[in-house]
Amino acid sequence: IFATIDEDGVLRVIDYKQEKIIVSFKSFYGSLLCLSWSPDGKYIVTGGQDDLITIYNWQEEKVVARCVGHESWVTSIKFDPIFNVNEIYRFVSVGQDTQLCIWDFSVENIPPPLLKTQYSSGKLEMKNRYGDDVILPPKKDEVPTLQPVSTAAIHSYPIFGLVITNDYLMTCSNFDVKLWSRPCSRRFSN
């Protein structure tokens, strides 16, 4: 199983052995520019031209939450490979707004959406230019919204690259590459 994104703003989860698309989701607006899988493979996060990060449960074919914190395109996103505490997931995003945002989420602790009606996934579909059935995005108030745990402007120019390892974070803009060491005294585990 793997996932792809495209300029058409569609996230596709594909079973390459069976050569078929399992599920496709349309972005809220514009192209998708980046994606990352959770370490356990349950969730996919995407970012793009809509300045949002969207968390998908691809197996249940639904949007879990949207993350609001960037003021311009989200250009790279990665799950933290060592942060895993009681089903709490951490991921990091960077964007053209020069911001690095750190996000934590747990499905059990996501706030309810603004509307009292539940977003019903899989009900609204369209055919895209490739003939795929694509699940349309829910309205902004139909899914929970998350805020970043921490946000910082770390570059003078738009950031387009992000690497996370057990020892460091690396960010890249058009003019610099920065390495950020991780605290070595604290490792996260169950």
Side-chain angles (χ1 to χ4, degrees), residues 142-156:
E142 290 180 332
V143 293
T145 301
L146 302 180
Q147 299 294 321
V149 173
S150 180
T151 302
I154 59 168
H155 282 267
S156 300

Side-chain angles (χ1 to χ4, degrees), residues 167-187:
D167 300 315
Y168 64 85
L169 275 72
M170 180 174 67
T171 57
C172 307
S173 74
N174 285 338
F175 299 102
D176 4 71
V177 173
K178 295 184 179 183
L179 285 176
W180 309 88
S181 62
R182 295 178 70 126
C184 43
S185 62
R186 193 169 151 200
R187 291 291 185 231

Side-chain angles (χ1 to χ4, degrees), residues 19-50:
E19 298 180 6
K20 73 175 195 170
I21 296 172
I22 298 170
V23 64
S24 298
F25 297 95
K26 179 77 174 112
S27 67
F28 186 74
Y29 170 81
S31 296
L32 292 172
L33 304 174
C34 53
L35 73 82
S36 183
W37 286 84
S38 64
D40 60 8
K42 290 181 182 178
Y43 302 98
I44 300 172
V45 291
T46 62
Q49 292 179 343
D50 56 11

Side-chain angles (χ1 to χ4, degrees), residues 39 78-85 88-90 164-169 182-190:
K78 302 282 188 270
F79 273 94
D80 187 328
I82 62 171
F83 186 91
N84 183 13
V85 180
I88 298 173
Y89 299 87
R90 171 167 288 166
I164 301 177
T165 72
N166 291 349
D167 300 315
Y168 64 85
L169 275 72
R182 295 178 70 126
C184 43
S185 62
R186 193 169 151 200
R187 291 291 185 231
F188 302 101
S189 63
N190 283 341

Side-chain angles (χ1 to χ4, degrees), residues 129-144:
R129 66 182 178 189
Y130 303 112
D132 304 341
D133 286 329
V134 179
I135 298 172
L136 295 176
K139 295 176 183 170
K140 282 190 177 184
D141 52 4
E142 290 180 332
V143 293

Side-chain angles (χ1 to χ4, degrees), residues 1 13 29 63 70 76 85-86 137 166 182:
I1 308 281
V13 180
Y29 170 81
V63 173
H70 283 282
S76 190
V85 180
N86 300 324
N166 291 349
R182 295 178 70 126

Side-chain angles (χ1 to χ4, degrees), residues 81-170:
I82 62 171
F83 186 91
N84 183 13
V85 180
N86 300 324
E87 297 284 321
I88 298 173
Y89 299 87
R90 171 167 288 166
F91 57 91
V92 179
S93 61
V94 295
Q96 288 192 347
D97 57 0
T98 74
Q99 300 283 323
L100 178 136
C101 296
I102 298 173
W103 311 85
D104 289 348
F105 85 95
S106 166
V107 174
E108 289 77 28
N109 295 323
I110 290 178
L114 293 175
L115 281 183
K116 299 205 188 253
T117 60
Q118 288 286 350
Y119 158 62
S120 177
S121 67
K123 302 295 182 203
L124 301 173
E125 294 185 356
M126 67 172 202
K127 293 274 188 194
N128 68 1
R129 66 182 178 189
Y130 303 112
D132 304 341
D133 286 329
V134 179
I135 298 172
L136 295 176
K139 295 176 183 170
K140 282 190 177 184
D141 52 4
E142 290 180 332
V143 293
T145 301
L146 302 180
Q147 299 294 321
V149 173
S150 180
T151 302
I154 59 168
H155 282 267
S156 300
Y157 298 95
I159 306 168
F160 63 83
L162 172 67
V163 174
I164 301 177
T165 72
N166 291 349
D167 300 315
Y168 64 85
L169 275 72
M170 180 174 67

